Amino acid sequence: MGKPDTRRLDKEIQRTQRKLEAVRNEEMWPLTSQERRQVVGALVGGSYRTMRSKSTGRAERKLESMWESVQTRLIAELTALQSERQRIVTEAATAKAAKKSSGWW
């Protein structure tokens, strides 16, 4: 019995890690369409208030909480993928141990 096939999960884990790093740098590409709309809405609201020489505190808080929620979502996805990978590796190890113990010797 060979090693468990985790290439697909490994690629997904790496992709999610890249997305998480991009979100920490406040890049837009890993966001869903709804999250993009929220970011643009907060930016537009903040810029409008800036043009009117008013405080942008609410828009800044909204933007900050949105970035945090995206990070939370990506961390949850990453955790789920890693636990799934660990489950596959554990199942393969259990099957290998069972095969060895049931051998002729």
Side-chain angles (χ1 to χ4, degrees):
M1 175 148 213
K3 293 182 180 179
D5 186 21
T6 59
R7 286 181 299 205
R8 182 186 58 81
L9 281 173
D10 291 338
K11 285 181 184 179
E12 258 326 294
I13 288 171
Q14 288 175 350
R15 186 177 299 126
T16 305
Q17 287 172 338
R18 282 196 315 266
K19 285 181 181 180
L20 184 59
E21 190 59 36
V23 167
R24 287 185 177 141
N25 293 332
E26 295 186 358
E27 296 176 19
M28 295 282 283
W29 67 265
L31 303 180
T32 63
S33 60
Q34 180 183 7
E35 293 164 346
R36 282 190 187 124
R37 281 193 305 273
Q38 289 176 346
V39 168
V40 171
L43 290 174
V44 167
S47 63
Y48 177 78
R49 293 191 58 86
T50 300
M51 293 299 293
R52 300 290 178 198
S53 300
K54 305 219 178 198
S55 171
T56 60
R58 188 178 355 156
E60 289 173 357
R61 284 192 304 273
K62 184 177 179 182
L63 201 55
E64 186 78 21
S65 67
M66 206 285 309
W67 285 116
E68 289 174 8
S69 69
V70 172
Q71 282 186 11
T72 303
R73 176 181 61 84
L74 288 173
I75 289 171
E77 284 181 21
L78 187 61
T79 303
L81 288 168
Q82 288 172 339
S83 63
E84 179 65 17
R85 184 186 189 283
Q86 185 60 44
R87 185 189 63 79
I88 290 172
V89 169
T90 303
E91 282 180 3
T94 304
K96 184 175 181 179
K99 186 177 178 184
K100 273 191 169 184
S101 68
S102 68
W104 191 76
W105 298 101

